[in-house]
Amino acid sequence: VSVRTGWAEVHLKQGSKLRLGLDTFVQVGSESATVSLFRGRLHVQVEPGSAQVTVLTANALAGFPKGTGIVFYDGEEQRTQLIGVE
């Protein structure tokens, strides 16, 4: 999924939601709640009773068993930031 302008909301089969920000590029696993973040920012919201969502970047892995969190990835600087987790 690629977002050039605006934002997009993706609903996973497991019930969780992803919100992709401007200039974001992700690949969502077909059967699991695994998301590869290649560029941009991703807001993860794991709904009660849903499976853990795992976000992978080139240099990090973030697991969200419940709640919400935001992951930023800058491919030019090879920097991943986990901004907030609830």
Side-chain angles (χ1 to χ4, degrees):
V1 178
S2 180
V3 178
R4 286 289 184 191
T5 60
W7 62 278
E9 184 170 276
V10 177
H11 295 258
L12 301 178
K13 290 179 184 179
Q14 295 81 1
S16 297
K17 296 178 191 172
L18 307 174
R19 291 179 185 89
L20 288 63
L22 176 68
D23 199 30
T24 297
F25 180 55
V26 301
Q27 180 178 7
V28 179
S30 60
E31 294 301 320
S32 66
T34 301
V35 181
S36 297
L37 176 60
F38 297 103
R39 125 178 123 240
R41 57 186 169 259
L42 175 65
H43 176 266
V44 178
Q45 181 177 349
V46 180
E47 299 296 331
S50 296
Q52 173 174 303
V53 175
T54 302
V55 179
L56 305 169
T57 67
N59 59 1
L61 177 142
F64 298 92
K66 62 181 180 178
T68 61
I70 301 171
V71 181
F72 287 81
Y73 179 67
D74 181 342
E76 290 181 17
E77 295 187 24
Q78 294 282 309
R79 183 174 56 190
T80 300
Q81 293 179 326
L82 176 61
I83 299 300
V85 175
E86 180 182 318

